[in-house]
Amino acid sequence: MSRIAVIADDHGMYRMGLAFTLKDRLGFDGVEEAASLDEALARLGETDGIALALFDLSMPGMQSAASLAAVRECYPDLPIAVVSGSDNRADVLSALAAGVNGFVPKGLRDDDLVAALQAILGGAIYVPASLAQGAATAAEPASGTIDLARLTPRQRDVLGLLVEGRTNKEIARALDLGHGTVKIHLAAVFRHLGVSNRAAAVAVAAPLLARG
């Protein structure tokens, strides 16, 4: 089956450049372009073989990053990322809370852009280090100071693998745990971090783990 990407952005020249990168550097067979959220939803609904969907935050129909929550609900397993000119940390956190797999700045160099998209396609959550740090800082006041030392050793292991982009099945295999046990550990980790999904957990925890 052909591997297709959807690019939703109202700037035609940017769509053209990104489509070239997806086909030339990442091996996509084709790219469906959309200039609004409604057009993007139509492309997703009528095209087979979609393996990646990329959304700009500033286009017709996009109320905010939270608009992507509906897309995630309809396509729970599809890699979805924001590709945005915004460096607003609130936009990053909102996008992650909506369940996207990454927040990719439009200003990235080609090699960095390719690496970011490869990470997302590989199952990782991509957020630039500078924005991830800001997202964590923005999230902390709601839940107080986050101390990872309060996690159990097993919860810490699960969190570390989550940040690496591992699926629940991969975490279970790596730690020799049952799938349900992994879900229970993740639920406890989410409560501790004050988040509701994997992407937001990665944004909050990655800089904390990096500091040791």
Side-chain angles (χ1 to χ4, degrees):
M1 181 184 289
S2 297
R3 202 165 68 126
I4 309 297
V6 171
I7 300 173
D9 192 300
D10 60 348
H11 292 88
M13 292 298 291
Y14 185 78
R15 289 199 311 268
M16 186 184 305
L18 186 53
F20 177 82
T21 297
L22 288 168
K23 289 185 281 190
D24 184 61
R25 300 285 302 276
L26 289 161
F28 277 83
D29 300 297
V31 175
E32 293 288 328
E33 298 184 23
S36 69
L37 181 60
D38 286 345
E39 284 183 28
L41 294 174
R43 300 290 184 276
L44 287 169
E46 64 195 21
T47 307
D48 293 328
I50 294 176
L52 177 68
L54 303 174
F55 292 86
D56 184 28
L57 291 181
S58 302
M59 64 176 177
M62 184 71 76
Q63 301 292 331
S64 69
S67 299
L68 296 175
V71 182
R72 169 53 72 210
E73 187 174 334
C74 293
Y75 302 95
D77 300 320
L78 176 66
I80 297 171
V82 169
V83 181
S84 176
S86 171
D87 60 0
N88 186 321
R89 289 162 179 152
D91 285 340
V92 178
L93 200 60
S94 178
L96 294 173
V100 304
N101 301 87
F103 194 101
V104 181
K106 284 187 173 181
L108 287 184
R109 295 181 299 114
D110 281 351
D111 287 348
D112 293 334
L113 172 62
V114 169
L117 295 177
Q118 284 175 330
I120 290 165
L121 288 166
I125 305 295
Y126 178 85
V127 182
S130 58
L131 295 183
Q133 180 63 55
T137 301
E140 285 173 6
S143 54
T145 301
I146 295 173
D147 181 8
L148 296 185
R150 294 174 58 194
L151 296 175
T152 68
R154 188 55 83 195
Q155 288 169 353
R156 178 80 175 237
D157 291 340
V158 168
L159 178 59
L161 292 172
L162 177 69
V163 169
E164 290 178 12
R166 306 285 190 93
T167 65
N168 285 8
K169 185 180 294 185
E170 290 169 336
I171 293 172
R173 189 181 304 122
L175 299 178
D176 195 23
L177 297 173
H179 189 69
T181 304
V182 170
K183 284 188 168 183
I184 291 169
H185 285 316
L186 283 175
V189 168
F190 291 174
R191 282 197 302 273
H192 181 71
L193 297 178
V195 299
S196 58
N197 60 55
R198 302 168 71 88
V202 171
V204 172
L208 299 176
L209 289 172
R211 291 202 298 266

